[in-house]
Amino acid sequence: MSSGRRGRISDDEINELISKLQALLPESSRRRNASRSSASKLLKETCAYIKSLHREVDDLSERLSGLMSTMDNDSPQAEIIRSLLR
């Protein structure tokens, strides 16, 4: 259904992009034989997954900040954590 116009994406390209996007989602969210009709659902699942990753990063950041605030800045443990964050 490609019109040949510049900037227009073909059905094959859309299907390839959908497959690539599916591969990035956790196994439980993947769907087999994705078709264009499931693209909307896949995009919604991807958005939900990205939001959950943001929440997880925020939670881990808060936990790390709390841990760092209780440590002696000169301790070996604090140095290990700082080296991991570089």
Side-chain angles (χ1 to χ4, degrees), residues 54-71:
H54 279 287
R55 284 191 300 269
E56 190 172 340
V57 166
D58 289 344
D59 179 56
L60 291 171
S61 293
E62 285 180 28
R63 290 170 56 192
L64 181 59
S65 292
L67 179 64
M68 291 295 290
S69 69
T70 63
M71 290 183 144

Side-chain angles (χ1 to χ4, degrees), residues 23-76:
L24 297 174
L25 293 176
E27 192 66 39
S28 61
S29 297
R30 292 184 190 168
R31 303 280 183 254
R32 291 191 179 147
N33 300 322
S35 66
R36 201 157 186 186
S37 63
S38 67
S40 174
K41 187 171 186 173
L42 177 65
L43 290 172
K44 288 177 185 177
E45 289 174 359
T46 302
C47 289
Y49 181 59
I50 290 170
K51 287 177 185 177
S52 74
L53 290 174
H54 279 287
R55 284 191 300 269
E56 190 172 340
V57 166
D58 289 344
D59 179 56
L60 291 171
S61 293
E62 285 180 28
R63 290 170 56 192
L64 181 59
S65 292
L67 179 64
M68 291 295 290
S69 69
T70 63
M71 290 183 144
D72 175 9
N73 282 336
D74 297 324
S75 72

Side-chain angles (χ1 to χ4, degrees), residues 2-29:
S2 180
S3 67
R5 291 185 296 171
R6 281 187 164 241
R8 175 110 175 142
I9 189 166
S10 72
D11 288 347
D12 287 341
E13 290 171 314
I14 289 173
N15 290 332
E16 182 180 339
L17 291 169
I18 288 171
S19 294
K20 287 179 180 179
L21 188 56
Q22 280 179 315
L24 297 174
L25 293 176
E27 192 66 39
S28 61
S29 297

